[in-house]
Amino acid sequence: MSVGTRPGLTRIVRHLPRVAVAAVAALVLSACGGGEKADSKPSEKESAKSAAFPVTVEHKYGSTTIESEPEKVVTLGLSDQDAVLALGVKPVGSVDWFKEQPYGKWPWTKELWGSKPPQIVGERDEYNMEKIAALKPDLIVAQYSGMKKEQYDTLSKIAKVVAQPKGHEDYQAPWQVMTKQIGKALGKDAETEKLIAGIDARFKAVRDKHPEWKGKTVTVGEPYEPGKFSAFSPKDPKVIFLSEMGFTTSEAYRKALGKENIADLSSERFDVMEADRTVWLGTPETEKLMKADPLYKKTKVHQEKRDLFLPYDSPDIGAALSFNTVLSIPYAIDQVVPMLEAIK
């Protein structure tokens, strides 16, 4: 299943949450403090880490008990690395999504990756089991993923695996839920709650400033070739991002998507995209083609200039919305809010 970004599309730490920066700084300092004698007493910090374990995390394929603090983490969810980085841990392995060596490039994670990117161990939901095993991880995280049961079983022979959250369709769990799952697996519940509270405060500030957006309908799509486009589920990260600023989706839109994360439609179904605000993700080329489509020109949302075209690249807005993580959300808010404010 496609999860919202097509291979041909191009790429995604401004305003990083302070707690994320502090966590990374603490990680660096602790790494420089080696040489402690074997018989020395553990520090209060080390004792606190040990006290956090064991932890048991429930997920789609059961539950996983992690006995001690993970030191080598592999992330297989498309955006999982962001929450792991924000909590002060640099994954040793991760998957590619945008096919353009994203690690160290996205503005919200560039400084956190530094000069040592992770090993690429797969693309989307295709995992290279040999590469993963060679990294000898003690924790594998797959939250924003479509991991299958047979993949989970194979990976569980390599390391502890925390699969996607139970009770949610693949790629449709709220970012808060996925972040909490990751935080629990890392033994960092308190830090996780602070991260989430910081993002919630950012969204509340937007809602307070723009009460007129409350209840306004929104749709999100992506044109991918002439005469065809994708519409994203109300539970897709990009739509969730807008809903947390007060927007909602219409019953017609929800019905058209059903349980699917993406619906691929033709130009004859532009009626699905009619809303108070219609957001399109893509490139300058796809925007030009869309605006030239005779059927799109007839839509009310276009005629009344209530549509918004966001690039995936330069600035990396579409990618930030697709990730919708504790690190990318502040960047996305700073970019998108002024654009929405310009629509009257």
Side-chain angles (χ1 to χ4, degrees):
M1 179 188 292
S2 172
V3 293
T5 307
R6 298 180 184 279
L9 293 176
T10 52
R11 49 186 194 261
I12 301 184
V13 182
R14 213 169 79 172
H15 304 303
L16 281 176
R18 293 179 182 176
V19 66
V21 177
V24 175
L27 180 68
V28 173
L29 289 173
S30 64
C32 297
E36 188 176 39
K37 295 181 180 179
D39 60 352
S40 63
K41 294 181 179 180
S43 67
E44 290 184 9
K45 186 175 182 180
E46 290 172 335
S47 297
K49 288 180 178 180
S50 299
F53 295 92
V55 296
T56 299
V57 186
E58 296 185 353
H59 50 75
K60 182 176 181 178
Y61 299 124
S63 63
T64 297
T65 297
I66 302 160
E67 302 293 345
S68 58
E69 182 183 14
E71 295 183 359
K72 298 179 72 176
V73 179
V74 167
T75 59
L76 299 182
L78 301 182
S79 60
D80 293 356
Q81 62 270 21
D82 279 17
V84 176
L85 282 167
L87 289 167
V89 178
K90 186 183 294 187
V92 296
S94 193
V95 294
D96 199 352
W97 182 1
F98 282 66
K99 290 188 174 181
E100 291 200 9
Q101 301 175 354
Y103 307 103
K105 178 167 60 181
W106 306 132
W108 56 89
T109 56
K110 186 174 182 179
E111 293 182 8
L112 295 181
W113 280 120
S115 60
K116 190 177 181 181
Q119 174 74 39
I120 304 301
V121 295
E123 182 182 319
R124 304 195 183 192
D125 293 329
E126 298 297 325
Y127 314 132
N128 188 316
M129 301 299 181
E130 291 76 16
K131 284 187 176 181
I132 295 171
L135 290 172
K136 298 181 179 180
D138 42 27
L139 176 64
I140 298 171
V141 176
Q143 294 300 288
Y144 190 55
S145 79
M147 177 185 285
K148 302 295 188 290
K149 180 62 163 60
E150 53 268 29
Q151 292 174 311
Y152 171 80
D153 291 339
T154 300
L155 290 164
S156 294
K157 297 175 182 178
I158 299 173
K160 300 289 187 177
V161 182
V162 177
Q164 51 268 56
K166 68 177 184 178
H168 300 277
E169 298 291 330
D170 291 349
Y171 302 108
Q172 295 186 24
W175 65 267
Q176 295 95 328
V177 171
M178 294 188 289
T179 304
K180 287 180 180 179
Q181 292 280 88
I182 291 171
K184 187 172 185 179
L186 295 175
K188 296 176 180 287
D189 284 335
E191 296 96 320
T192 302
E193 291 299 332
K194 290 180 181 178
L195 281 173
I196 293 173
I199 300 301
D200 286 342
R202 288 295 305 271
F203 277 124
K204 183 179 184 302
V206 174
R207 292 193 300 271
D208 290 346
K209 184 178 179 181
H210 294 285
E212 72 277 10
W213 290 348
K214 183 177 181 180
K216 294 287 186 182
T217 57
V218 68
T219 56
V220 181
E222 176 190 326
Y224 59 93
E225 64 179 63
K228 294 184 179 180
F229 68 93
S230 295
F232 296 103
S233 164
K235 295 182 180 179
D236 181 86
K238 295 173 281 296
V239 184
I240 289 175
F241 172 84
L242 292 162
S243 68
E244 292 197 81
M245 294 195 292
F247 293 96
T248 187
T249 54
S250 68
E251 183 177 351
Y253 187 72
R254 293 191 294 271
K255 184 177 181 180
L257 271 296
K259 290 186 177 181
E260 294 298 320
N261 191 46
I262 293 177
D264 291 324
L265 304 169
S266 65
S267 296
E268 288 74 17
R269 291 309 315 275
F270 277 135
D271 59 291
V272 171
M273 303 301 290
E274 290 283 10
D276 294 313
R277 299 288 185 275
T278 296
V279 177
W280 295 103
L281 304 176
T283 66
E285 290 74 21
T286 57
E287 177 181 351
K288 184 177 180 180
L289 288 172
M290 175 66 80
K291 291 181 176 178
D293 189 308
L295 293 178
Y296 187 67
K297 288 181 178 180
K298 295 180 180 179
T299 61
K300 289 184 179 180
V301 70
H302 180 64
Q303 292 176 354
E304 297 175 6
K305 302 184 186 304
R306 291 181 281 106
D307 50 358
L308 180 63
F309 289 82
L310 302 178
Y312 274 104
D313 171 67
S314 301
D316 306 314
I317 304 172
L321 265 66
S322 297
F323 271 60
N324 202 44
T325 65
V326 290
L327 293 183
S328 74
I329 287 172
Y331 173 88
I333 287 175
D334 291 339
Q335 296 288 333
V336 175
V337 169
M339 296 180 177
L340 287 169
E341 290 173 338
I343 300 177
K344 304 303 180 183

